[in-house]
Amino acid sequence: MRAVTWQGKRDVRVENVPDPGIQEPTDAVVRITSTALCGSDLHLYEVLTPFMTPGDILGHEPIGIVEEVGAGVPDLQAGDRVVVPFQIACGNCWMCLTGLPTQCETTQVTGEGMGAALFGYTRLYGSVPGAQAEYLRVPQAQFGPIKIPEGPPDDRFVYLSDVLPTAWQAVQYAEVPEGGSIAVLGLGPIGDMACRVAQVRGAGQVFGVDLVTERLKRARERGVETFDLRSFDHEKELVAAIRDRTAGRGPDAVVDAVGTEAHGSAAARLAQQAAAMLPRRLSAPLAERLTFDRLAALHTAIDLVRRGGTISLSGVYGGTADPVPLLTLFDKQIQIRMGQANVRRWSDDILPYLTDEDPLGVDDFATHRLSLNDAPHAYEMFQHKQDGAVKVLMKP
């Protein structure tokens, strides 16, 4: 089959690889009909290269048709249409039953000290072959795949794999009071969708911050009050502008949908790039002990949120030695919640919104639809924010 493989920093290729098959009774094999490019994939493209191996199959946002199931998968059969969550979880352990499948005790990558295994996401999360491919082996298929109806296009449901539950959890964790205010830093796919989720869940004021013209325009057209970071000489001016819209206090909640690759902090960026350029035998041990994130977005969130408010982190951070301003967090009495989205915890809540009325705007959420063969171009375009790229779907 054809699959998108990682070969080095900023080097992805579509190659022929062996077809997957059933290995365990709880496996299924899914023929992928659409697969998406995620902002998290860009971390593998550059920042997290020390944890990658040439030939790794990328991707974790698929929808497709079940081709084959193992004997331990009673609720799926060949021909079922399914979305596959990005995390691999059993559904039966204590963590899963508590609503935390990202911490699944059956698939935890204990050798790396990490949580549940993820598709296509470094050795830290199990080196499981990913979903930017023609076929995908799905472990723990007795729990993971979400059955969806025939009829509507893939765009209607594919975002259940990651974008929708990640945005939903970001807003849930933000604990915005009814009619309250929320600021979303970063209007890429997750930030854009988080604004939409906040609107349908009753937020009174939704602010969006970015520095890409097309992303600001998309959010503004859906009623988000946008702030162009390029219009301010300093972060303090941005904070003051949003505070002016919230009685001088700041928003009730801030979602950081940017994460480790925020703008700013030239020193941290240089450290990230230097680590990625080292030989893997040197860079991986270094990254495990001494890595830094670019924290511009997090520091803005801390400054911006009102006293007693909540910060929800959905952007991926991977630093092991990040300086955090605990004095300010303590003094402002800020709550912080974070983590990978627990997809199956939220999927039943989200499904009622995926109707012909399309309140979340999923049907036209994608900005680009390409062939899987165009994956190298898609990665480069998305990395450089070219051609208005916000969300890319690929068809095998």
Side-chain angles (χ1 to χ4, degrees):
M1 70 171 184
R2 290 175 302 132
V4 180
T5 64
W6 185 91
Q7 298 297 334
K9 181 179 178 180
R10 300 192 195 123
D11 183 4
V12 300
R13 306 174 195 173
V14 179
E15 298 189 323
N16 289 319
V17 301
D19 291 351
I22 300 293
Q23 298 179 19
E24 301 289 341
T26 52
D27 286 353
V29 174
V30 174
R31 175 174 57 83
I32 304 302
T33 55
S34 291
T35 186
L37 176 55
C38 177
S40 298
D41 294 325
L42 296 185
H43 301 323
L44 312 181
Y45 197 56
E46 184 166 359
V47 176
L48 296 181
T49 59
F51 303 108
M52 298 294 290
T53 302
D56 283 349
I57 299 175
L58 302 174
H60 57 265
E61 297 188 4
I63 183 173
I65 306 298
V66 175
E67 291 282 305
E68 186 180 2
V69 296
V73 186
D75 296 327
L76 286 183
Q77 59 184 358
D80 284 344
R81 189 186 189 197
V82 296
V83 173
V84 181
F86 69 89
Q87 71 227 194
I88 302 167
C90 72
N92 295 314
C93 69
W94 188 89
M95 285 291 182
C96 286
L97 294 174
T98 308
L100 293 170
T102 54
Q103 311 304 326
C104 175
E105 293 169 318
T106 300
T107 73
Q108 277 180 11
V109 187
T110 54
E112 300 288 349
M114 306 300 279
L118 309 179
F119 288 105
Y121 215 77
T122 80
R123 68 170 173 79
L124 295 178
Y125 289 99
S127 295
V128 181
Q132 290 170 5
E134 292 183 292
Y135 294 90
L136 177 69
R137 171 182 167 252
V138 181
Q140 304 298 328
Q142 81 287 349
F143 174 68
I146 304 164
K147 286 201 282 189
I148 55 171
E150 295 293 337
D154 284 356
D155 296 50
R156 178 75 57 87
F157 301 108
V158 66
Y159 306 116
L160 279 170
S161 59
D162 185 346
V163 172
L164 281 166
T166 298
W168 191 275
Q169 179 172 291
V171 175
Q172 180 77 19
Y173 281 6
E175 297 184 338
V176 186
E178 182 68 28
S181 56
I182 182 171
V184 178
L185 307 182
L187 297 173
I190 302 302
D192 186 342
M193 187 58 72
C195 289
R196 303 178 188 204
V197 170
Q199 288 172 322
V200 302
R201 297 188 64 182
Q205 291 177 292
V206 180
F207 308 110
V209 180
D210 208 292
L211 43 65
V212 179
T213 300
E214 293 85 356
R215 296 182 176 190
L216 290 160
K217 181 174 182 288
R218 271 168 63 101
R220 191 163 52 248
E221 288 174 346
R222 294 191 65 90
V224 176
E225 186 172 351
T226 59
F227 293 80
D228 187 340
L229 202 54
R230 298 167 298 183
S231 300
F232 302 92
D233 292 330
H234 193 275
E235 171 258 347
K236 296 287 186 184
E237 295 179 5
L238 167 69
V239 170
I242 298 178
R243 280 182 180 161
D244 285 345
R245 301 289 296 120
T246 55
R249 286 186 293 270
D252 297 306
V254 177
V255 170
D256 173 359
V258 180
T260 184
E261 293 193 273
H263 76 288
S265 187
R269 178 178 176 83
L270 182 61
Q272 288 177 344
Q273 292 175 336
M277 293 175 65
L278 290 171
R280 287 175 58 250
R281 63 183 176 83
L282 299 176
S283 62
L286 176 64
E288 289 172 355
R289 293 172 175 80
L290 189 65
T291 54
F292 297 93
D293 292 303
R294 284 174 264 167
L295 297 173
L298 178 58
H299 285 297
T300 298
I302 293 169
D303 195 10
L304 177 58
V305 71
R306 70 162 169 82
R307 291 179 178 272
T310 302
I311 295 173
S312 175
L313 302 183
S314 61
V316 175
Y317 284 99
T320 57
D322 289 334
V324 177
L326 288 176
L327 173 62
T328 303
L329 290 169
F330 183 86
D331 179 66
K332 290 186 70 175
Q333 206 165 334
I334 295 170
Q335 300 180 76
I336 299 181
R337 295 199 69 183
M338 67 187 83
Q340 303 278 9
N342 298 287
V343 176
R344 290 308 304 267
R345 168 66 180 83
W346 311 116
S347 56
D348 288 346
D349 294 334
I350 298 168
L351 273 167
Y353 291 89
L354 305 182
T355 62
D356 289 343
E357 288 72 28
D358 195 19
L360 294 172
V362 294
D363 287 349
D364 59 358
F365 190 70
T367 54
H368 294 72
R369 295 170 178 82
L370 304 174
S371 164
L372 192 69
N373 290 330
D374 294 323
H377 167 65
Y379 270 82
E380 183 178 9
M381 175 179 64
F382 194 31
Q383 172 78 351
H384 295 290
K385 301 178 176 64
Q386 298 170 340
D387 195 28
V390 176
K391 193 60 181 178
V392 180
L393 291 181
M394 295 181 287
K395 296 242 180 223

